[in-house]
Amino acid sequence: MTATATDLYPTRGAREVSVPRQDPVTWSAPGTPGPIGAAELEGYDRDGFLTVDQLLGPYEVAHYRAELDRLIADPAVRADERSVVEPKSRDVRSVFEVHRISEVFAALVRDPRVVGRARQILGSDVYVHQSRINVKPGFGASGFYWHSDFETWHAEDGLPRMRTVSVSIALTENHDTNGGLMIMPGSHRTFLGCAGATPRDNYKRSLRTQDAGTPSDEALTGLAERHGIKLFTGPAGSATWFDCNCMHGSGDNITPFPRSNVFIVFNSVENAAVEPFAAPVRRPEFVGARDFTPVV
C-alpha cells in the first residue's frame, strides 16, 4: 500500500540509511505537571529511557503474575493467533493484546502511574498501539535481536512520527544473566533505515525471529561505540520506559530463572497510524492497533 503521509524516515530500501531524528523526544511543554519530575524527564530526553525502581508493590506483582500464569496455561489463549510460541521448546513466548483479553491487564493500562507518564512524555492523550506479556522462561528462551521498534512500526504499521513510548514492567526479577533488556543510551536521536524489502505477512516470522528490519553489524557497531550499552536489572515491580526509536534488544535466557514482563506501547492520538510506509499490507490489529480511542 502507498502511505498517505510524508515519509520522514525512509527504510526497507536498497541500502541502509541513517537519518537524524526529526521529532522531539518529550512533547509536553516545560513545567507541565505530571508524575515524572523535571530531572527525570531531562534524563529521558537525553538517554531515551527512564527507570522506576518500584512501580508496583509486592501484592500487585503477585496479582499480575497470577494473571500471566492463568493466560499462558489457558489452552484457548495458547491456540489464539495472538499467542507466540518458542520455535524450539514450543513454550508460550508472548501473548499480544492482553489489555483486550484480560481485564486485569486492562486495569493496569488505565493505572495513572502508567498512562500518566505516557501522557506527560507524549504531550497528549494516548491510545494503546500494542500490548503483550513476554514470558521468557528459563533454560533456553530466545532473545530479541537489536532493533528500533519505530522502524518496524513505521514501516509495517504506518506510524508517521516518533511520538510513541513503551513501558516494560518486570513481573520477575531482572538479573544480569537472564536475558535482560539492553538499550544503547542516546541512540534514539538517530533513525536507522534498514535495507531489504518487507515480505508479505512478515509479522508471522518476525514475532519469533527477526529478519526484515534488522540493522547491519557495521551500523550496530558504530552505534555501540558512540553510545555504549546499558543492561537493565532490578526487582519485580520495577519498570523501564523507553522511546520508540531506542536501539535495544535482549539475549537468550539459559538460566533457570524466568524473565517475565508486561509490555505496553502508548502512541499519541495525534500520531494515529496511516498506511504502512514500507510493507505491502498492514499487520493485524492485535500487533498494530487501528482503534485510536484514548485511554481513560
Side-chain angles (χ1 to χ4, degrees):
M1 296 185 182
T2 301
T4 58
T6 302
D7 189 356
L8 297 176
Y9 301 105
T11 190
R12 310 285 174 98
R15 60 186 180 87
E16 193 172 61
V17 295
S18 179
V19 178
R21 186 187 185 105
Q22 305 295 305
D23 294 305
V25 178
T26 54
W27 290 73
S28 292
T32 300
I36 307 174
E40 291 176 311
L41 202 59
E42 182 180 340
Y44 178 86
D45 192 88
R46 179 190 65 245
D47 298 327
F49 60 82
L50 165 70
T51 57
V52 177
D53 290 337
Q54 191 176 46
L55 184 74
L56 304 178
Y59 173 81
E60 295 173 297
V61 169
H63 178 58
Y64 293 116
R65 273 289 305 277
E67 180 67 356
L68 180 149
D69 291 342
R70 184 190 72 81
L71 289 172
I72 64 173
D74 186 337
V77 172
R78 182 186 177 89
D80 193 286
E81 65 174 346
R82 289 174 285 196
S83 292
V84 180
V85 299
E86 288 286 348
K88 294 181 180 179
S89 69
R90 309 307 296 170
D91 291 332
V92 173
R93 172 188 176 103
S94 301
V95 180
F96 281 78
E97 216 171 37
V98 289
H99 71 295
R100 292 195 180 278
I101 65 176
S102 165
E103 178 50 41
V104 171
F105 286 116
L108 180 62
V109 166
R110 298 190 299 266
D111 189 314
R113 296 170 296 178
V114 176
V115 71
R117 285 179 168 85
R119 292 189 186 114
Q120 187 178 1
I121 289 169
L122 301 180
S124 69
D125 283 333
V126 298
Y127 71 92
V128 176
H129 176 70
Q130 184 187 104
S131 72
R132 67 179 187 261
I133 48 174
N134 295 321
V135 181
K136 210 163 192 180
F139 297 117
S142 54
F144 294 87
Y145 196 69
W146 290 105
H147 65 286
S148 154
D149 287 329
F150 179 75
E151 192 279 337
T152 296
W153 299 336
H154 182 70
E156 301 186 38
D157 297 337
L159 295 193
R161 310 293 292 266
M162 293 182 183
R163 199 171 180 180
T164 315
V165 62
S166 302
V167 59
S168 174
I169 304 172
L171 299 182
T172 55
E173 184 168 358
N174 288 300
H175 302 282
D176 59 3
T177 52
N178 66 341
L181 173 68
M182 297 181 288
I183 293 178
M184 298 184 187
S187 60
H188 62 305
R189 295 284 181 179
T190 302
F191 175 73
L192 190 64
C194 298
T198 307
R200 180 175 288 270
D201 291 339
N202 178 56
Y203 79 95
K204 293 180 180 179
R205 175 176 171 81
S206 67
L207 297 182
R208 293 172 173 83
T209 180
Q210 290 161 294
D211 188 8
T214 301
S216 69
D217 291 352
E218 292 77 13
L220 289 171
T221 300
L223 286 171
E225 288 175 344
R226 289 195 299 274
H227 301 294
I229 296 172
K230 164 73 173 177
L231 170 65
F232 293 85
T233 60
S238 60
T240 302
W241 297 80
F242 59 101
D243 180 82
C244 59
N245 191 46
C246 284
M247 190 62 65
H248 67 287
S250 63
D252 295 350
N253 182 13
I254 62 172
T255 75
F257 311 114
R259 178 184 167 258
S260 299
N261 69 306
V262 55
F263 182 78
I264 306 163
V265 180
F266 293 102
N267 188 40
S268 169
V269 296
E270 299 172 14
N271 189 45
V274 294
E275 294 305 315
F277 285 85
V281 294
R282 299 175 181 180
R283 297 197 298 176
E285 292 195 26
F286 71 84
V287 182
R290 293 282 162 172
D291 179 353
F292 311 132
T293 305
V295 176
V296 295

